[in-house]
Each structure stands twice: as structure tokens, then as C-alpha cells.
């Protein structure tokens, strides 16, 4: 499938060989145990270790992560379960881990846990490849590009080359880009990690995560961690996720086009500052993003004057829900400062662009901006 287009690959990924009178995508397998006589040498033994529904989904994700390569994928109950599996399966007391200081909001919780285990954690911003300065002696470098919510981008190839030269493993959180936007394994990373709750499944109704590796030994360590902690997805969630992958290219294409259209309009609005979207040619991250990304994602961030203006804007929107996730077919937006933990202004808006008609969405945003500003 390495020569196929993204749409063809997405709709065919992970499907078993056709079998007469059987469905194209077998239904979810609900089983805690399997028939198991004699020595346990078969693929399915106990429901915390393996499940046929996971197998189909894991193959599908692997085919998207690095087409034509032998990818080992492990699916998890959530994105944070996948993140934790990489970091906590690799780190030992006395090791050094390098994290971004502008990454996903829950990373500080993981940092605290690592430090409680005796791991030294260093942090640096995503932008400007600043993590390079913290690599000496590190066991693992964690990259998040584009970063969430600030949308900074780092040069994955450059960081990977420097890290590997010093014996440091590299994991890339690819949640915002998805494999249709960026392929970390092809850029040299050891782990590609994502919260599939977001763009991969795209409908805001599944919690799921995955880790993909080319190295079987690293993959085995991640899979062992899943077995030990039991961070497994339900078969129904795994089946729904696989079904959702079929529309991945359709969704991502529309959402990325909408995001660029919205960013272009916001760029000309006098009350909008701090606009970020890696696909915008004027964005400071665009040159780097264009070298390593195939699509630029569905998230746009910008800043309004203050907290009150931002909240009026969100209340005035009719086609975007005030919600804290991103990557879905329905647009969502939120004032990130309400959670604390992100180093952003009070009027900072993270806007996840959906698959609505672009003219309708842009008109709704322009109207909501006008109403929020008129009310001052």
C-alpha cells in the first residue's frame, strides 16, 4: 500500500483478507478469554493482552504511520495512557528525560510522576529547536510538534539526528498533525504517539491513544507496559476507531482547508493578535513545517484583548461549541486560560476547525468577533 494515495490507504487500512459471506470489517470481539487448550502459543489468550479487534486497528494505524514499513502499533485506552506508556516504560531512576515546557497540559503531571521515581526532567520550548541544548546524557527526548496550544514547530529531523548521536531515544507526540499531516517514524523518531481521541477518530465520541514503533524491542516494552497497567481500550471503542479511519483523509482535507481559510481572515482582523497557524505562509513556523508536514492541522490559535472579550466571542459563536478537545468534524473553541497550566494570555483562543462549509464558518466567526467587540 506504500504507493497508494492517502484516501485509498485510509479506507483500506487494516482490513483482513476477504472471506466469503463475512463482513469487510469484522465486528468488535467482546471476550475476556478465548478457547485455549494445551500450550498458550496462539495469538489470543486473555482479553487484557490481545484482542482481534485491536489487531485490525493496530495494523490500520501502522499502515498510515509509515506505509510500506513493518510498523508495530499498540493501542491504549486514551492518549495519556499512550504518552505514559512510552515515558514510564523507558525511564529508570537516575535517567534524564527532556520534555517541552509548552506541551500538552497534562505533561507536568507526568513530569511530577517521573521526578517522584527519581528521574531528572529537563524542559525547553518547542520553538527554535531549543530542546537541543538540554540533550546531553538524556535517555529520551519528547517532542510535541506542532505544540498544543501554542502551535510552535521544531525541526524533527534535526532534533532526531542530534539525539541519536548521543544515544538518546526520540518520541514525537503527533496528535495535532495525525499521520496524514506528519509521519514521525519517517523523520527518524523512535516512537510516534497520539491521542486518537482527536483527529484520528474525529467525532468527539471515543477516548483512544496509540504508540507506533519500527523497532520491535521498543514496541515490546510499550506493549508490556500496557499489559502491566491494563490501560486497554474496549473492543467497541477500537472497532469504532477503525471505522472512523475510513473518512480520515476526507475529514482532514476539509478541516485543514477550513483552518487556512479562517487563519487568512483572522490575519486581516485588527482586533486579533498572536495569530498562529503553521499552514499560513506568514507564520514564523511555516518554513520548518513545510519541510516536514504534508498537511498543517485543524487548529488555529489567536489572542483577543482580554478574558471578557474572549468569553463574549465564544458565547456568540453558533457553529463552534465551547469544548476542550480538538480535531473533530464539528468546530470547537475555548479560552485556554480557564484551565491554568498553559502559559498563554487570558484572551488566548484555541480554535479547532471542523468540516462545516468554509463560508458559513468564516461568517460565524466574523459575526461573533463583531458582537464581542461591540459589547465592550
Amino acid at each position: 500500500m506504500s504507493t497508494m494515495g492517502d484516501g485509498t490507504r485510509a479506507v483500506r487500512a487494516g482490513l483482513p483478507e476477504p472471506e466469503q459471506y463475512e463482513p469487510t470489517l469484522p465486528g468488535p470481539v467482546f471476550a475476556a478469554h478465548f478457547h485455549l487448550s494445551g500450550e498458550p502459543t496462539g495469538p489470543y489468550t486473555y482479553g487484557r493482552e490481545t484482542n482481534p479487534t485491536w489487531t485490525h486497528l493496530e495494523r490500520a494505524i501502522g499502515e498510515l504511520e509509515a506505509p510500506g514499513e513493518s510498523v508495530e502499533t499498540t493501542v491504549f485506552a486514551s492518549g495519556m495512557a499512550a504518552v505514559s506508556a512510552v515515558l514510564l516504560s523507558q525511564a529508570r531512576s537516575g535517567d534524564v528525560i527532556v520534555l517541552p515546557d509548552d506541551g500538552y497540559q497534562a505533561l507536568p503531571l507526568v513530569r511530577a510522576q517521573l521526578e517522584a521515581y527519581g528521574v531528572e526532567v529537563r524542559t525547553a520550548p518547542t520553538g527554535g529547536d531549543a530542546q537541543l541544548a538540554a540533550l546531553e546524557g538524556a535517555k529520551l527526548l519528547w517532542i510535541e510538534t506542532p505544540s498544543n496550544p501554542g502551535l510552535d514547530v521544531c525541526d524533527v529531523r534535526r532534533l532526531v539526528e542530534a539525539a541519536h548521536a548521543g544515544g538518546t531515544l526520540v518520541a514525537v507526540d503527533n496528535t495535532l498533525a495525525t499521520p496524514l499531516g506528519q509521519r514521525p517514524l519517517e523523520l527518524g523518531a523512535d516512537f510516534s504517539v497520539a491521542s486518537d481521541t482527536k483527529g484520528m477518530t474525529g467525532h468527539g465520541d471515543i477516548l483512544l491513544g496509540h504508540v507506533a514503533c519500527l523497532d520491535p524491542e521498543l514496541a515490546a516494552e510499550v506493549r508490556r507496559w500496557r499489559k502491566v497497567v491494563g490501560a486497554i481500550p474496549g473492543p467497541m471503542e477500537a472497532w469504532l476507531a477503525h471505522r472512523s479511519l475510513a473518512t480520515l483523509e476526507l475529514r482532514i482535507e476539509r478541516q485543514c482547508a477550513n483552518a487556512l481559510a479562517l487563519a487568512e481572515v483572522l490575519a486581516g482582523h485588527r482586533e486579533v493578535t498572536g495569530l498562529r497557524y503553521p499552514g499560513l505562509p506568514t507564520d514564523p513556523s511555516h518554513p520548518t513545517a513545510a519541510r516536514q508536514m504534508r498537511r498543517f492541522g485543524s487548529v488555529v490559535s489567536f489572542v483577543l484583548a482580554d478574558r471578557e472579550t474572549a468569553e463574549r466571542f465564544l458565547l456568540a459563536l453558533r457553529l463552534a461549541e465551547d469544548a476542550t478537545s480538538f480535531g473533530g468534524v464539528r468546530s470547537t473553541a475555548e479560552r485556554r486560560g480557564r484551565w491554568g497550566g498553559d502559559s498563554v494570555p487570558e484572551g488566548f483562543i484555541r480554535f479547532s476547525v471542523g468540516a462545516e462549509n468554509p463560508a458559513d464558518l468564516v461568517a460565524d466567526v466574523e459575526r461573533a468577533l463583531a458582537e464581542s467587540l461591540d459589547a465592550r
Side-chain angles (χ1 to χ4, degrees):
M1 293 178 67
S2 60
T3 60
M4 292 182 180
D6 285 342
T8 304
R9 188 177 298 110
V11 301
R12 304 294 306 176
L15 298 181
E17 289 297 318
E19 188 173 339
Q20 190 77 339
Y21 309 121
E22 292 295 323
T24 304
L25 176 62
V29 175
F30 298 97
H33 58 265
F34 301 82
H35 289 295
L36 189 66
S37 58
E39 294 300 315
T41 57
Y44 304 109
T45 58
Y46 183 64
R48 180 166 45 82
E49 298 183 22
T50 51
N51 179 290
T53 310
W54 303 348
T55 299
H56 294 312
L57 175 60
E58 288 171 344
R59 288 174 181 166
I61 293 173
E63 290 170 13
L64 298 174
E65 284 279 6
E69 300 287 345
S70 180
V71 181
E72 298 206 20
T73 304
T74 306
V75 291
F76 289 87
S78 69
M80 280 309 299
V83 169
S84 301
V86 173
L87 289 167
L88 297 176
S89 71
Q90 296 303 308
R92 303 290 185 271
S93 179
D95 284 345
V96 174
I97 301 292
V98 180
L99 301 178
D101 64 12
D102 54 350
Y104 179 55
Q105 187 185 47
L107 274 183
L109 301 177
V110 182
R111 174 181 182 172
Q113 191 62 60
L114 288 167
E115 290 175 335
Y117 290 154
V119 176
E120 178 187 344
V121 179
R122 302 173 189 160
T123 63
T126 299
D129 300 339
Q131 289 174 295
L132 285 170
L135 283 180
E136 185 175 355
K139 173 68 179 296
L140 184 139
L141 166 65
W142 187 271
I143 296 171
E144 185 177 308
T145 181
S147 62
N148 172 31
L151 301 183
D152 268 325
V153 172
C154 61
D155 187 330
V156 176
R157 290 186 186 89
R158 182 186 182 200
L159 286 165
V160 165
E161 182 178 355
H164 285 176
T168 301
L169 296 170
V170 180
V172 176
D173 184 334
N174 201 40
T175 300
L176 198 144
T178 81
L180 265 63
Q182 182 172 259
R183 293 176 180 156
L185 299 180
E186 293 184 351
L187 296 172
D190 301 287
F191 304 91
S192 180
V193 189
S195 170
D196 302 318
T197 308
K198 313 298 194 298
M200 283 286 275
T201 57
H203 291 79
D205 53 9
I206 303 171
L207 288 174
L208 200 78
H210 81 264
V211 178
C213 303
L214 293 175
D215 185 328
E217 292 185 9
L218 293 177
E221 292 171 2
V222 169
R223 197 171 293 266
R224 180 181 178 276
W225 182 264
R226 181 181 68 180
K227 176 181 176 179
V228 169
V229 301
I232 60 172
M236 190 66 190
E237 286 77 10
W239 183 85
L240 285 170
H242 196 167
R243 185 201 64 171
S244 298
L245 289 182
T247 61
L248 180 60
E249 191 208 30
L250 297 173
R251 292 185 279 107
I252 295 297
E253 281 286 332
R254 178 61 167 262
Q255 289 172 256
C256 291
N258 281 358
L260 179 59
L262 179 60
E264 289 172 342
V265 168
L266 292 173
H269 201 289
R270 58 184 177 81
E271 298 290 343
V272 170
T273 61
L275 174 67
R276 297 302 303 272
Y277 181 63
L280 200 62
T282 55
D283 188 275
S285 289
H286 182 72
T288 301
R291 289 195 300 269
Q292 65 192 24
M293 299 184 74
R294 300 159 63 241
R295 297 173 177 87
F296 299 103
S298 62
V299 178
V300 177
S301 67
F302 56 95
V303 180
L304 297 179
D306 48 38
R307 173 176 179 166
E308 292 71 26
T309 304
E311 290 178 346
R312 286 196 301 269
F313 167 71
L314 293 170
L315 284 172
L317 289 169
R318 295 171 185 161
L319 296 181
E321 302 160 358
D322 194 339
T324 192
S325 195
F326 62 85
V329 291
R330 290 177 291 277
S331 290
T332 61
E334 71 168 339
R335 190 183 68 81
R336 283 300 290 177
R338 65 180 176 176
W339 296 103
D342 290 321
S343 182
V344 295
E346 285 294 311
F348 182 97
I349 300 291
R350 184 183 71 182
F351 200 111
S352 172
V353 183
E356 297 88 358
N357 287 108
D360 295 336
L361 184 61
V362 167
D364 188 50
V365 169
E366 289 184 311
R367 180 197 50 76
L369 279 171
E371 290 183 12
S372 66
L373 297 171
D374 289 344
R376 286 191 299 184

